Amino acid sequence: MEQVVIIGSGPAGYTAAIYAARAGYEPTVIAGAVTAGGNLVNTTDVENFPGFPDGVLGPELMERMAQQATRFGAKVVYDDAVSVSLGGPVKLIKTLGGQEYRAAAVIAATGASYKELGLESEKRLGGRGVSYCATCDGFFFRGKEIIVVGGGDSAMEEAVFLTKFASKVTVVHRRGELRASQIMAERAMAHPLIEFAWHSTIAEIHGDAAVSGVTLLDTRSGDQRTLDVHGIFVAIGQTPNSELFRGQLAMDRDGYIIVHGPPAPDESAGAQHQATSEPGVFACGDVVDRTYRQAITAAGTGAQAALDVQDYLEELAADTAIAAATV
C-alpha cells in the first residue's frame, strides 16, 4: 500500500514527487517506459527555466529533477500505467509490466501530446528547427525566416510573438480563412512581418543537421513550391494524455482533466485546488492546462498537487484517528 502514486513524469510529475518525498510520503512515480521526462526530453536547449542562466538541455533537466526526487525518497518506475480504478479510499493502478499499486492518493501528471504533421522529416528535425513552442524556442531564430503552421488562436499568438525575433513569419494554413477569433486574426494579418500561405500544407521539410527549407503543397491545384526557412513552428493543437482516466475523472470537452482551480477571494485556507472530481485524486501539468503549457507552470502545479495531497492525507489520518477513538 503506497501513500502516494504519481502517474507521469515531466516537470509536473517530478516536482510533485520532490515535494511529496520531502514531506515524507515516499511517492512512487510511474514515469513511463519510453516517455519518462515528458515533452522536454525531445527538446534541446531550455533557456527560460529559472536557475540555469546558461540554459540546460531538456533531457538533462528532466534527469536532474528525477535525481532530486529520488534523493528525497521517491521511487521512479520506468513502466506505463495501463488501467486505474480510482473510486473509493484505495486507488488501484496496473502497469504494462504487470505490477499493481494500491495508494491512498494519486496524482495524474500525464501531460499532453503536440499534434504533429506526420512527416518523417518532422521527427528527424525535431529540436533542430522544428518546434511546437514559440515561447520556448523563438529566441533561437533571431533574424531568420520561419514558418508557423496552423490557423487558430494559438497559431496567431505564436506568429505575432515570433515577430519579436524573426525577420519574416509565414503562416501556412490549409484553408482560405483562419479559424482564429476575429481580434487575433486581425492582429496577425495587420502585422508587417507576417505573410500567409493560404490553401497550403507542408509536403516535406528539408535539411540534414537543421531545417533549411520546406516544400509547400497547394491543396487546390496540387502545385508545389519551396521556401527557404530555418524554423517551423507547428501550432495545430495538442491532445491531453487523459485517456487513462476517461470515465473516472471529470474532463472538459477536449479531454483536459478538470481541477478545482485557483482559490476564490473568500475561500478558506486548506482548499485543494489541484483536486479532481474524485476524492484523493489530484492532477497537474499539461493534462489540466490548455493555456500556458510551459515547463515552469507545469512544475508549479506539480508542487500545488503535492501540497494538496499532503493536506488530504493529513485530513484522512485525522478522520481515521477520530473514528478509532470513538469505537
Side-chain angles (χ1 to χ4, degrees):
M1 179 72 178
E2 311 284 338
Q3 294 187 85
V4 183
V5 168
I6 300 168
I7 304 175
S9 47
Y14 284 146
T15 301
I18 291 167
Y19 272 72
R22 291 191 74 250
Y25 291 114
E26 299 181 342
T28 294
V29 182
I30 303 177
V34 296
T35 58
N39 288 329
L40 278 191
V41 299
N42 299 316
T43 303
T44 51
D45 295 302
V46 178
E47 294 197 329
N48 57 359
F49 199 89
F52 297 91
D54 298 321
V56 60
L57 294 176
E60 180 185 354
L61 178 59
M62 290 300 92
E63 179 61 25
R64 289 192 183 193
M65 283 191 173
Q67 290 174 355
Q68 190 172 359
T70 56
R71 173 194 167 198
F72 292 119
K75 178 184 177 183
V76 178
V77 178
Y78 296 101
D79 199 353
D80 295 312
V82 293
S83 69
V84 295
S85 178
L86 302 176
V90 178
K91 322 299 180 184
L92 175 65
I93 303 97
K94 296 181 179 181
T95 71
L96 185 63
Q99 297 299 309
E100 293 188 359
Y101 297 90
R102 289 169 172 79
V106 168
I107 296 176
T110 46
S113 300
Y114 294 112
K115 293 181 180 178
E116 300 178 349
L117 301 175
L119 301 172
E120 182 281 328
S121 51
E122 174 188 15
K123 291 187 177 295
R124 177 171 53 83
L125 293 168
R128 295 177 173 84
V130 176
S131 174
Y132 304 87
C133 178
T135 306
C136 310
D137 299 330
F139 178 83
F140 300 111
F141 297 90
R142 188 175 295 277
K144 298 179 179 180
E145 294 189 13
I146 59 177
I147 278 176
V148 172
V149 183
D153 277 352
S154 294
M156 297 308 102
E157 290 171 5
E158 299 229 328
V160 172
F161 175 81
L162 288 166
T163 60
K164 298 179 180 180
F165 311 104
S167 59
K168 184 173 79 170
V169 177
T170 300
V171 175
V172 175
H173 187 41
R174 59 183 177 176
R175 298 187 177 93
E177 59 182 19
L178 299 172
R179 294 181 292 105
S181 60
Q182 182 177 353
I183 187 170
M184 286 306 303
E186 290 177 350
R187 186 176 301 168
M189 294 178 73
H191 201 290
L193 295 183
I194 298 178
E195 296 183 0
F196 288 82
W198 302 108
H199 299 289
S200 298
T201 60
I202 295 181
E204 187 58 62
I205 302 171
H206 306 294
D208 295 323
V211 170
S212 61
V214 298
T215 295
L216 297 184
L217 172 69
D218 189 302
T219 58
R220 298 168 302 177
S221 66
D223 293 340
Q224 295 187 355
R225 63 187 177 102
T226 59
L227 286 180
D228 295 330
V229 296
H230 294 90
I232 301 167
F233 288 81
V234 182
I236 56 177
Q238 67 173 20
T239 303
N241 300 325
S242 59
E243 189 63 32
L244 180 67
F245 310 104
R246 191 167 297 280
Q248 301 196 51
L249 301 179
M251 302 178 188
D252 67 14
R253 63 182 182 182
D254 295 320
Y256 289 90
I257 297 174
I258 297 173
V259 294
H260 288 181
D266 58 347
E267 193 169 5
S268 61
Q272 295 157 3
H273 306 298
Q274 300 303 130
T276 69
S277 58
E278 186 64 47
V281 182
F282 304 81
C284 56
D286 284 4
V287 76
V288 306
D289 176 19
R290 63 165 63 247
T291 303
Y292 301 106
R293 298 180 295 193
Q294 301 296 305
I296 189 62
T297 53
T301 58
Q304 291 175 189
L307 293 171
D308 286 350
V309 163
Q310 184 174 342
D311 288 341
Y312 172 79
L313 292 178
E314 288 175 354
E315 290 176 6
L316 200 63
D319 292 343
T320 302
I322 291 171
T326 59
V327 173

